[in-house]
Amino acid sequence: MPSIAFYTLGCKVNFYDTEAIWQLFKQEGYEQVDFEQTADVYLINTCTVTNTGDKKSRQIIRRAVRRNPDAIIAVTGCYAQTSPAEILDIPGVDLVIGNQDRDKLLDYVKEIQEKREPINAVRNIMKTRAFEELDVPDFADRTRAFLKIQEGCNNFCTFCIIPWSRGLSRSRESESVLKQARQLVAAGYKEIVLTGIHTGGYGDDLESYDLTDLLWDLDKIEGLERIRISSIEASQIDDRMIEVLNKSSKMCRHLHIPLQAGNSEVLKRMRRKYTTEEFAEKIARIREAMPDVAITTDVIVGFPGETDEQFKEGYAFMKNVGFSEMHVFPYSKRTGTPAARMEDQVDEEVKHARVHELIELSEQMQLEYAKSFVGQVVDVIPEGPAKGRQEAGLIMGYSDNYLQVIFEGDESMIGKVCRVKLTEAGVNECEGVLVRVMDPTMNQAANM
């Protein structure tokens, strides 16, 4: 039985893509082994979002070559897309394929097995207009299913290399998304997380069908309990989508809306498409439509030219908006982007201090948000035993508004919707007591 080992760097979309590629090899009779073991094929799915991503990708490729010099070393992902020549220069690499044509991977592997000549299969991704259909029917150890609906991005923010590595925005056909969603529900998943590189851009390239239409169509799928959007821009949440958030019982009370900076001048230099006023106004409208919604965000600290004044103003703005969690990143220069060439880069130490201030703020806001639910009942889908607390009989899962909740329970509850009363709030995890397990079969029995 031929064997394959995978290593994935980078974002959730990459992890999804790796899973999808594994399905192709699985169908061909491959077995998957650990990356530290000897395999016939090593596939490294790379990241290029920062310069460090490139470096780490190269280290992992070399590690695979050392592990088994006779193996086929295949490299895919974002770094492969932007720098195929750099990767082929690494001795031992057999195949470089970008973020497209991955359905041809097995043909390339067979060709290399016969000829043992390296192949550069990377094409210009800017010309690609079709969504690459790759399905993941099953996620090991997961109670949430990820469903990729979109690829690429048209925004060209000044700090970001992603449009060059992923191409322009392209959407998956709705029939195909809905068919896959039904299969995931049939496989027992109660929650689907819609994911993509710029998920809210879904439908930009389709005829009169957008993310809101897709959400209503998903809402009709029987057996699907929760729909979560992995990330969406404030500007993409229009009146029609606000109505879905308000009226669909399946939409999770959690939205991840990247802010990136709390000052309009900085946002402009980032080439973001909104001011802080517009952002705040949109958040207010979302909260009106969906009370208690958890709004999480991403923030880049120390963008070129960010003054102390602008940072302080941003800090106050974030505090005022009141996120339930912020993912804080120090700005890092990405070679090839306009921001890397900007004057007045911010000193590393200054960046570091600012990051700490915002992380502290984020933890305060996380705790405040969680505290507001103490005494309330939330729906939690347990994912497994609580880390480090298995012996106490505790299990862990996420509520629809993305609180991580730990409560007493057993394996039989995993993947089911549980009503849990929150007893204690914490920054990263909350504690609760089980009220009851919502079993759909019981409801039917009761109605007979």
Side-chain angles (χ1 to χ4, degrees):
M1 207 176 181
S3 59
I4 183 163
F6 294 95
Y7 197 104
T8 308
L9 298 109
C11 66
K12 280 190 177 129
V13 177
N14 255 11
F15 280 86
Y16 179 95
D17 291 345
T18 298
E19 278 296 314
I21 293 166
W22 159 233
Q23 302 298 327
L24 302 174
F25 280 89
K26 191 162 138 185
Q27 283 155 16
E28 280 290 305
Y30 274 75
E31 66 163 335
Q32 189 175 339
V33 298
D34 191 82
F35 195 77
E36 302 306 321
Q37 290 173 301
T38 306
D40 300 313
V41 178
Y42 289 91
L43 187 126
I44 298 99
N45 195 350
T46 59
C47 174
T48 192
V49 76
T50 61
N51 291 347
T52 328
D54 291 1
K55 194 173 145 198
K56 181 99 197 279
S57 297
R58 287 194 296 272
Q59 285 169 345
I60 300 298
I61 294 164
R62 291 195 186 98
R63 197 195 298 177
V65 175
R66 284 198 301 273
R67 180 109 326 121
N68 181 8
D70 299 328
I72 289 180
I73 310 290
V75 184
T76 186
C78 289
Y79 178 47
Q81 181 65 52
T82 55
S83 313
E86 239 172 73
I87 294 172
L88 279 168
D89 278 347
I90 301 173
V93 171
D94 297 291
L95 170 64
V96 183
I97 190 163
N99 282 322
Q100 54 191 356
D101 300 332
R102 290 185 282 203
D103 47 352
K104 303 190 185 118
L105 260 165
L106 284 147
D107 300 337
Y108 287 130
V109 167
K110 284 175 191 148
E111 193 182 322
I112 293 164
Q113 280 162 342
E114 285 160 22
K115 300 183 182 162
R116 280 323 293 218
E117 279 171 17
I119 296 176
N120 178 354
V122 177
R123 290 187 296 118
N124 179 356
I125 200 149
M126 287 301 176
K127 292 184 176 166
T128 300
R129 290 293 177 269
F131 179 88
E132 179 182 46
E133 289 279 343
L134 291 170
D135 269 336
V136 183
D138 182 39
F139 297 81
D141 315 326
R142 279 278 178 198
T143 52
R144 288 183 283 163
F146 289 83
L147 177 48
K148 183 173 163 186
I149 62 169
Q150 183 278 343
E151 176 65 271
C153 182
N154 300 347
N155 271 17
F156 294 94
C157 298
T158 53
F159 52 78
C160 186
I161 199 83
I162 296 305
W164 306 105
S165 66
R166 289 279 177 177
L168 299 174
S169 186
R170 44 208 190 277
S171 310
R172 184 173 184 176
E173 289 296 334
S174 60
E175 289 77 40
S176 166
V177 175
L178 296 165
K179 182 182 161 198
Q180 179 60 13
R182 286 187 199 100
Q183 283 171 335
L184 290 166
V185 171
Y189 291 98
K190 300 264 185 285
E191 178 178 329
I192 287 178
V193 183
L194 301 177
T195 182
I197 292 298
H198 195 60
T199 315
Y202 180 85
D204 286 352
D205 54 338
L206 299 176
E207 284 281 312
S208 61
Y209 190 91
D210 62 12
L211 186 53
T212 300
D213 299 313
L214 181 67
L215 293 173
W216 279 128
D217 284 344
L218 286 166
D219 180 78
K220 296 184 190 101
I221 294 179
E222 227 166 284
L224 177 59
E225 303 266 347
R226 285 184 186 177
I227 304 162
R228 201 183 290 277
I229 304 169
S230 64
S231 179
I232 188 165
E233 296 288 338
S235 55
Q236 291 164 334
I237 302 174
D238 57 11
D239 295 351
R240 289 177 59 244
M241 182 167 294
I242 285 176
E243 194 183 359
V244 183
L245 297 177
N246 182 268
K247 294 191 174 152
S248 163
S249 60
K250 297 186 181 183
M251 291 303 299
C252 286
R253 288 179 298 173
H254 167 232
L255 291 168
H256 184 79
I257 308 176
L259 170 66
Q260 306 303 12
N263 170 281
S264 295
E265 288 161 47
V266 178
L267 288 171
K268 201 171 166 182
R269 283 203 302 280
M270 288 178 163
R271 206 187 287 154
R272 302 288 290 166
K273 303 208 160 67
Y274 49 86
T275 62
T276 50
E277 290 77 25
E278 289 164 346
F279 187 94
E281 192 186 324
K282 193 63 65 86
I283 300 295
R285 295 200 45 213
I286 293 163
R287 285 188 168 135
E288 211 174 294
M290 195 183 240
D292 291 340
V293 61
I295 293 175
T296 56
T297 197
D298 296 325
V299 179
I300 293 172
V301 175
F303 187 75
E306 182 185 66
T307 63
D308 279 340
E309 201 45 51
Q310 289 171 336
F311 172 74
K312 284 196 182 87
E313 191 187 300
Y315 182 99
F317 177 77
M318 292 166 212
K319 192 172 179 171
N320 200 21
V321 170
F323 293 102
S324 56
E325 188 184 355
M326 304 194 296
H327 301 178
V328 184
F329 307 93
Y331 169 73
S332 84
K333 269 186 175 180
R334 183 67 193 88
T335 315
T337 60
R341 299 190 292 274
M342 286 180 183
E343 311 273 299
D344 48 17
Q345 297 282 332
V346 176
D347 182 72
E348 290 302 314
E349 277 177 30
V350 173
K351 265 190 237 178
H352 228 73
R354 289 179 188 173
V355 166
H356 277 288
E357 275 188 66
L358 285 185
I359 288 174
E360 263 177 45
L361 175 63
S362 172
E363 289 184 351
Q364 283 167 30
M365 294 196 286
Q366 245 176 300
L367 188 58
E368 256 168 64
Y369 180 74
K371 273 183 176 164
S372 65
F373 290 90
V374 170
Q376 286 194 39
V377 174
V378 291
D379 282 356
V380 177
I381 300 180
E383 296 192 355
K387 283 191 185 75
R389 325 246 316 249
Q390 290 92 320
E391 63 290 335
L394 295 170
I395 55 176
M396 183 288 288
Y398 286 94
S399 65
D400 71 308
N401 57 336
Y402 218 54
L403 294 170
Q404 189 174 320
V405 184
I406 290 173
F407 61 98
E408 230 173 275
D410 58 56
E411 302 275 316
S412 73
M413 298 172 190
I414 288 169
K416 292 188 177 146
V417 178
C418 297
R419 291 255 148 105
V420 179
K421 185 175 182 176
L422 236 58
T423 52
E424 202 179 318
V427 172
N428 291 314
E429 52 184 47
C430 300
E431 294 186 15
V433 289
L434 179 70
V435 178
R436 65 193 179 107
V437 179
M438 310 292 289
D439 191 343
T441 51
M442 304 257 297
N443 296 350
Q444 282 156 6
N447 297 338
M448 275 163 80

